[in-house]
Amino acid sequence: MIKDFLLRQVRFKTLSVSFNVITSVFLLSNASFLKYLIALVIGFLLQGLANIFNSFQTEVKSASSRNLIYLLLACLLLLGGVASGTNIYLWAVGLLAILIVFSYSYKGARWRVRVSETPLADIFIILSFGPLATYGAAEYFGVEHITQIAVLSILNGILAHNLLWIHRIKDIDKDLSAGKKTLAVLLGKDYSLVLMMLENLYAIHLVYQNFGVLCAGLILGIFTLIISLIKFNNLYYAFHFWILFLLMNPFVLKLYAF
């Protein structure tokens, strides 16, 4: 049962978001590969825990799934504690990340609407995978390039939000019938695409300023393809193509280093 729960609810493909953030920062550092692997495991644990808790809150709750959440949380605290050591900043980032993991999907007697079902979800995703994760990884890896990290924090947040956009646009009809008030439901498909385009044009502007015209042109081409796939309802291909791009993006940026 645990194996089946993991396979269905961890949503392994979405872990590419954490991979993009951690790898892009690591490639700016001189940190060891071991530190990179530890950071990657912590990122995967955080995102996996968020995905499982989200499913736990929306499906039938069982003792086994609850115990699995406790186990993942314990592993996260143990490994995160070892990695943070006496660094107060890393402890603060880690505890805030865990708070976001549970507050994103929590629904209780006094908190009847999940953040994940409202426009606040978009803000949570951008901030979590943008400034919070990027600056946290920079502190862990010892990256002192303030300008580069500031640019990456914005870029990583927008790239992560794109994956949410694809998912939300795909589920507009289903979410509307379920009474969810996601940003895509409130805006509709066309206006959602407009807002997504504006976000990405800003991201491309940042890439152009800091990585050059060739890198910006490459990402513009990829983004244009994604928008076209969404526009013509090829959301399955849009989702998987964006997963592939997230896995490649850190190395693309490295080729056009600051």
Side-chain angles (χ1 to χ4, degrees):
M1 183 176 181
I2 292 179
K3 180 180 178 181
D4 179 62
F5 185 83
L6 278 171
L7 291 174
R8 288 187 297 106
Q9 310 303 343
V10 171
R11 304 168 200 168
F12 289 100
K13 295 176 183 177
T14 66
L15 299 185
S16 58
V17 177
S18 293
F19 176 86
N20 171 66
V21 175
I22 294 166
T23 305
S24 63
V25 178
F26 170 71
L27 291 176
L28 286 178
S29 75
N30 295 314
S32 68
F33 189 69
L34 178 60
K35 291 196 75 171
Y36 168 66
L37 290 179
I38 292 172
L40 207 56
V41 171
I42 291 173
F44 288 168
L45 282 173
L46 269 169
Q47 195 177 349
L49 180 63
N51 291 342
I52 290 175
F53 186 70
N54 180 267
S55 297
F56 178 77
Q57 288 289 293
T58 56
E59 297 183 356
V60 177
K61 300 177 182 179
S62 65
S64 60
S65 57
R66 183 180 291 108
N67 291 337
L68 178 59
I69 290 172
Y70 290 149
L71 175 61
L72 290 178
L73 179 59
C75 292
L76 181 60
L77 288 171
L78 178 61
L79 186 58
V82 171
S84 299
T86 58
N87 190 316
I88 301 301
Y89 179 80
L90 285 178
W91 274 102
V93 169
L95 293 175
L96 179 57
I98 291 173
L99 177 63
I100 290 173
V101 162
F102 289 106
S103 61
Y104 182 80
S105 302
Y106 178 76
K107 182 178 181 181
R110 296 184 179 181
W111 197 336
R112 297 182 180 276
V113 179
R114 297 183 182 89
V115 169
S116 61
E117 299 175 357
T118 71
L120 279 176
D122 301 78
I123 298 174
F124 270 48
I125 293 298
I126 292 173
L127 293 180
S128 297
F129 291 104
L132 184 65
T134 303
Y135 279 98
E139 177 71 19
Y140 178 65
F141 290 133
V143 179
E144 298 179 353
H145 308 296
I146 298 176
T147 301
Q148 292 93 321
I149 294 303
V151 171
L152 277 180
S153 70
I154 299 172
L155 183 60
N156 287 337
I158 292 174
L159 296 184
H161 194 216
N162 280 342
L163 205 61
L164 183 66
W165 272 125
I166 295 169
H167 177 69
R168 294 298 202 217
I169 291 172
K170 175 177 69 68
D171 289 343
I172 283 179
D173 292 336
K174 183 174 70 174
D175 289 343
L176 183 61
S177 63
K180 296 180 182 181
K181 303 296 183 182
T182 68
L183 187 58
V185 167
L186 296 176
L187 293 178
K189 180 180 177 179
D190 290 339
Y191 285 113
S192 293
L193 280 173
V194 169
L195 185 53
M196 183 180 178
M197 288 174 63
L198 291 175
E199 283 182 26
N200 282 272
L201 286 175
Y202 178 62
I204 291 166
H205 173 68
L206 286 177
V207 172
Y208 169 72
Q209 285 189 320
N210 294 277
F211 295 93
V213 65
L214 291 178
C215 188
L218 174 61
I219 295 180
L220 175 61
I222 292 172
F223 169 66
T224 302
L225 175 59
I226 290 295
I227 288 293
S228 299
L229 289 171
I230 296 173
K231 179 67 176 177
F232 294 104
N233 294 317
N234 293 312
L235 292 157
Y236 174 86
Y237 295 105
F239 176 81
H240 287 87
F241 190 82
W242 197 252
I243 294 290
L244 180 61
F245 172 69
L246 288 172
L247 295 174
M248 296 172 55
N249 179 63
F251 307 102
V252 171
L253 296 181
K254 182 64 176 177
L255 289 175
Y256 301 91
F258 291 84

